[in-house]
Amino acid sequence: MKKNILFYALAAALTLSSCASKKALTECQNENKSLTTSLQNTREDLAAKNARLQSLEEQLASQKAALAAQTATLAALQSSLDKSLTNASQNNISIEKLVDQINESNQYIRHLVEVKSKSDSLNLVLQNNLTRSLSKEELKEVDVQVLKGVVYISLADNMLYKSGSYEINDRAAETLSKIAKIITDYKDYDVLIEGNTDNVPISKQNIRNNWDLSCLRASSVVQALQTKYGVDPKRLTAGGRGEYNPLESNDTALGKQRNRRTQIIITPKLDEFMELIGKAPETE
């Protein structure tokens, strides 16, 4: 009898111990799954921030280059003025005539500067309005820059599309609606939607390669802007550049991530811009 009692007691203890071990194992597995998900999210957030930092560094470098170009232009104008004064002295050109020529040149230069300043100011306002309308989460996947008088809005592919597809996903709707609002407000600008991919080959039904994928993605955005958000289709152009317009090397995961993007490029209408510039003043 005592042996039976001892046996049952040991069996009960082993059962309880086994249950406790299974519970602990389940808790450890759940905790590991949670930590793995958190680690993945942290890595993605870090990659997005690194991409944003690099984009800002590129924009700063572009602005420095533009400043250097303007400085060189001013130096060239000063050299031209000095040369004109020297020629006038050597050829006995009247001071009045020379002053008239200089005034005409200065007037044209001021006109060009005013036109460029107007264009740059409008583009900076457009950039600021769009940036302010986007949430912090959206800004991790949307990059807005003004380069050489053109506004570039770069959107990450995983924010816009389902994986390996050209179908726009649901979470992109709010961001596209904000971009469409800006495009609608600035009616004197044309809009090019440009698809870009990394160099990883793709072959699916009706998608032969990255050329197809980039064009189809650009077309999807164009049609969404037209049908869902009321953007005038006459202002829109869709184009794909496949894997042949990379921002970075495709040798790293971060490089591939940056290269997989769709750019919305907003530019002043060329004919109206040329009308603003007008003709150069005639000089003898």
Side-chain angles (χ1 to χ4, degrees), residues 101-119:
Q101 291 178 354
I102 293 174
N103 286 338
E104 286 180 358
S105 298
N106 287 341
Q107 183 179 1
Y108 182 58
I109 291 169
R110 283 195 299 270
H111 184 51
L112 291 178
V113 170
E114 288 172 1
V115 170
K116 187 178 185 305
S117 297
K118 180 180 178 181
S119 175

Side-chain angles (χ1 to χ4, degrees), residues 185-251:
D185 288 345
Y186 288 79
K187 299 183 184 298
D188 293 332
Y189 285 68
D190 285 328
V191 183
L192 168 64
I193 313 299
E194 181 185 274
N196 296 269
T197 71
D198 58 23
N199 65 345
V200 178
I202 183 171
S203 181
K204 291 189 174 183
Q205 186 176 6
N206 299 326
I207 304 179
R208 295 167 297 181
N209 49 42
N210 283 328
W211 276 116
D212 280 359
L213 180 60
S214 63
C215 292
L216 288 168
R217 285 182 165 180
S219 179
S220 292
V221 174
V222 162
Q223 292 179 67
L225 291 173
Q226 175 189 353
T227 59
K228 293 185 178 180
Y229 308 111
V231 178
D232 183 358
K234 295 178 181 178
R235 299 173 56 198
L236 300 173
T237 301
R241 302 190 68 176
E243 63 199 68
Y244 302 105
N245 183 36
L247 291 175
E248 295 186 8
S249 169
N250 282 299
D251 294 336

